[in-house]
Amino acid sequence: MRNQLMGMLEARKEEMIQIRRYLHEHPELSFKEEKTAQYIADFYKGKDVEVKRNVGNGNGLIVTIQGGKPGKTIALRADFDALPIAEETDVPFKSKNEGIMHACGHDAHTAYLLVLADCLIQLKSSLAGTINIIHQHAEEAPPGGAKSIVESDVLDDVDHIFGIHIFPTHPAGFVGYHSGFSLAGRSFFKLGIQGVGGHGSSPHLANDAIVAASYFVTAVQTVISRRLNPFDHGVITIGSFDGKGTFNVIKDRVELEGDVRYMTVETQQLLANEIHRIVKGIEAEFDVQCDLSYIADYPPLYNDPEVTSDVVASLKSMDDPDIQEVGEYPMLSGSEDFAYYLEKIPGCFFFIGCKPKGVENAYFNHHPKFDIDEECLLVAAKSVGQVVCSYYGLE
């Protein structure tokens, strides 16, 4: 079956590319992917599978492929939302939806998984178990789609879960892995600082919110430099400082927004505690009132070491010209809501190279000029197909 599956995928490589290009032309934002969800549902029409729609808190779909014999249940996931980015590439299938772009590769994720799923449907009589295909909405926008899908209990019977992400750090043909904590968790905060406004000539009669907010910006960086273990990883970024006013008027209120990244649950809690502590100190030192909204968006992504080891062994055993290298990938400070699945279900989330040919320094995901080598679609399909075959002992 393994050779049969790989041959089927090779024969449908062009179909994957065409699906990816169609999706790239018609991107939709998180929680608004109605037409994309319909496109996915239409793909499965007439096929011998169960399709659940509107799973979780949006447009998610779960397609159940029931094997010919009883056995374990696995899940394969691909996301399908796009980003609020104006595309700047010159590809002929450029986005037709102004200000929206598939700048993270979710079009490629969906394209490869649709074709792989269809091939597995055709071969399902040889499967001793069940495969759930998760077409997930809203990966890009918190609270994301994964958390709600997990909380809906539709995956309670899943034994293991697998997913991939394309990155242009390596050429097509490269498959990367990392065991244990692999991608950062992310929190988001908004801080309002309320002081007393006044005239620039009489600061003693006012209480300057900008000064207090500036101290917060400086102080919060000491959490990373002086509170975090040097062997741990964390980042705090102030991305918005809204203090615009008039040059000779002391602002009474400033609002800030920040991004927090961490690699472990313990670091997540430490950074949250320290930021709250600093806010209390700012209130006391500057006699201002602070309102802090602190939200943990996505947890750190943890690849089960045993499952990852099995995935790596399987991929390295492939004698396939399309899979040219299987190598260890560094931890990434980006975040992924696939982490919610891995909190509940042991699994592995690995990486597929997609650097365009002839490019030395490719534009990274989320850039308006992000582009891929579409050879990565077949690499993704074969890699995940190989993992499925190995999991079920199919030769």
Side-chain angles (χ1 to χ4, degrees):
M1 175 178 166
R2 189 188 307 258
N3 290 337
Q4 187 178 1
L5 175 60
M6 297 303 162
M8 293 170 70
L9 293 172
E10 289 171 3
R12 298 180 68 174
K13 172 183 171 182
E14 187 60 32
E15 181 183 354
M16 294 183 215
I17 292 173
Q18 292 307 313
I19 291 173
R20 181 255 165 172
R21 292 184 178 187
Y22 174 84
L23 294 172
H24 193 88
E25 278 190 296
H26 303 89
E28 295 179 296
L29 295 176
S30 304
F31 298 107
K32 298 179 181 179
E33 321 94 329
E34 291 86 0
K35 293 180 180 179
T36 307
Q38 185 62 54
Y39 177 89
I40 294 170
D42 289 343
F43 180 87
Y44 290 101
K45 280 185 178 178
K47 304 183 191 302
D48 188 16
V49 290
E50 177 189 356
V51 179
K52 294 180 181 178
R53 298 193 60 180
N54 301 315
V55 179
N57 59 354
N59 298 299
L61 303 91
I62 293 184
V63 179
T64 301
I65 303 173
Q66 187 68 54
K69 304 172 186 176
K72 289 187 175 182
T73 298
I74 65 171
L76 311 177
R77 175 271 208 169
D79 36 17
F80 60 84
D81 55 326
L83 287 155
I85 292 175
E87 184 166 3
E88 296 179 9
T89 69
D90 58 359
V91 295
F93 47 90
K94 189 175 180 178
S95 171
K96 293 181 177 178
N97 297 336
E98 186 176 354
I100 306 175
M101 177 189 176
H102 269 297
C104 199
H106 297 184
D107 49 348
H109 299 170
T110 300
Y112 102 79
L113 189 56
L114 283 172
V115 173
L116 174 61
D118 192 29
C119 293
L120 291 171
I121 291 168
Q122 296 177 51
L123 299 171
K124 68 176 189 170
S125 61
S126 300
L127 285 172
T130 302
I131 301 176
N132 286 325
I133 305 295
I134 305 171
H135 291 289
Q136 186 206 304
H137 62 293
E139 188 277 330
E140 298 288 0
K147 186 173 187 288
S148 66
I149 291 176
V150 170
E151 291 174 345
S152 69
D153 299 330
V154 294
L155 302 178
D156 282 357
D157 61 343
V158 173
D159 296 293
H160 293 95
I161 188 167
F162 305 94
I164 63 95
H165 204 301
I166 62 171
F167 288 121
T169 54
H170 292 75
F174 175 85
V175 182
Y177 66 90
H178 191 93
S179 185
F181 286 109
S182 303
L183 282 90
R186 181 183 73 190
S187 294
F188 161 78
F189 66 84
K190 287 186 177 182
L191 173 62
I193 299 179
Q194 183 66 52
V196 177
H199 196 279
S201 65
S202 305
H204 60 295
L205 300 178
N207 200 351
D208 196 335
I210 284 184
V211 172
S214 299
Y215 268 77
F216 172 80
V217 172
T218 302
V220 80
Q221 296 305 320
T222 66
V223 175
I224 302 299
S225 66
R226 287 296 177 268
R227 291 290 178 263
L228 184 62
N229 187 318
F231 295 101
D232 293 334
H233 303 274
V235 177
I236 300 175
T237 299
I238 307 299
S240 175
F241 189 116
D242 186 2
K244 183 173 175 56
T246 304
F247 76 98
N248 63 346
V249 175
I250 294 174
K251 286 284 291 184
D252 67 333
R253 183 173 179 83
V254 172
E255 295 185 349
L256 305 91
E257 295 184 5
D259 177 73
V260 185
R261 307 277 174 155
Y262 35 82
M263 294 306 301
T264 68
V265 175
E266 292 75 17
T267 301
Q268 173 186 0
Q269 192 58 57
L270 181 147
L271 297 183
N273 290 343
E274 290 297 319
I275 289 173
H276 280 83
R277 184 180 63 82
I278 288 174
V279 168
K280 290 181 179 178
I282 293 292
E283 285 184 314
E285 183 174 359
F286 294 96
D287 192 23
V288 294
Q289 292 181 333
C290 295
D291 48 278
L292 175 65
S293 173
Y294 193 98
I295 301 170
D297 286 342
Y298 299 161
L301 186 147
Y302 183 80
N303 278 326
D304 182 272
E306 183 176 350
V307 176
T308 302
S309 178
D310 290 341
V311 166
V312 173
S314 173
L315 293 173
K316 286 187 174 182
S317 72
M318 293 183 75
D319 182 15
D320 192 299
D322 292 308
I323 313 298
Q324 298 168 10
E325 181 184 359
V326 179
E328 188 169 5
Y329 211 82
M331 289 190 295
L332 296 174
S333 55
S335 302
E336 231 302 339
D337 75 348
F338 193 87
Y340 282 116
Y341 300 114
L342 293 174
E343 281 190 320
K344 183 175 182 179
I345 308 166
C348 180
F349 188 73
F350 53 102
F351 314 108
I352 307 294
C354 69
K355 181 190 291 188
K357 291 183 176 67
V359 175
E360 183 175 354
N361 296 310
Y363 293 104
F364 199 66
N365 306 61
H366 290 219
H367 193 281
K369 293 184 179 180
F370 173 77
D371 195 11
I372 69 171
D373 178 355
E374 291 174 321
E375 297 291 330
C376 73
L377 298 171
L378 183 58
V379 175
K382 282 189 169 184
S383 298
V384 178
Q386 168 77 2
V387 169
V388 171
C389 288
S390 295
Y391 188 88
Y392 287 111
L394 300 171
E395 298 299 334

